[in-house]
Amino acid sequence: MPKLQTPPIVAILRGVTPEEIIDIAAALVEAGVRAIEVPMNSPDPLVSIGKLCAAFGDQALCGAGTVLSPEVVDQVAGVGGKLIVTPNTDAAVISHAVGLGLTVMPGFATPSEAFAAVKAGARALKLFPAGTFGPGHIKAMRDVLPKDVSVYAVGGVGAANLKPWIEAGVSGIGVGGELYRPGYTAEEVSQRAKTLVAAWVDQTTQ
């Protein structure tokens, strides 16, 4: 995965609509977030992803989450998406995305899943749901995974509990509801993103 500028935060915009994607994404980018995913179970996700990539593809890594098949990888790539995030470890999805030159971040829980994802070509993994496993899981995985593989914590990680995850060795985090939920305004997203970015910077520069 391309090394994200600090902070390495992936914003998960589950439920975002095509009508609001530009304003929400602008708030995130202005706050310093440099990776944005629109989950495929959002309303008209490909429309939103296309608009997102056209407007911010040169400033942030943009693409789709909850990608479950190679066919969806093709659809996302077709509208300009460069980021493929999955909730699971599916070698077919991973290898197909890698073959298209896309950045893929598959979800994993166990060492077997992590190494299967790496074997399929992934160089960024997401522990999901991270809150269920805890920072100790990341620390143990870090001891055995290749050093060039990034590990992100997604689910249950946010501004209030960053320290133990950073100490455990996470490369970055993925954040959903703490940044965006349906109904949040761009102004609300802006404030939430600034708080999260400030927390990351504070915890990594001490």
Side-chain angles (χ1 to χ4, degrees), residues 7 29 33-34 40 50 63 68 86 90 93 112 124 129 140 142 146 164 172 175 187-188 191 196:
V29 170
V33 175
R34 291 293 179 267
M40 289 302 295
L68 300 175
T86 76
D90 186 323
V93 172
S112 294
R142 275 300 203 187
V175 180
E187 291 74 18
E188 288 175 301
Q191 290 304 313
L196 182 59

Side-chain angles (χ1 to χ4, degrees), residues 40-83:
M40 289 302 295
N41 55 358
S42 301
D44 297 315
L46 292 172
V47 176
S48 291
I49 294 166
K51 294 175 70 171
L52 173 66
C53 294
F56 298 104
D58 60 342
Q59 301 173 63
L61 183 62
C62 302
T66 318
V67 176
L68 300 175
S69 71
E71 291 75 20
V72 173
V73 173
D74 287 333
Q75 293 171 359
V76 174
V79 295
K82 302 295 184 185
L83 173 65

Side-chain angles (χ1 to χ4, degrees), residues 82-86 93-94 97-98 102-106 121-124:
K82 302 295 184 185
L83 173 65
I84 299 294
V85 183
T86 76
V93 172
I94 296 167
V98 170
L102 307 180
T103 296
V104 59
M105 184 186 290
R123 284 298 175 266

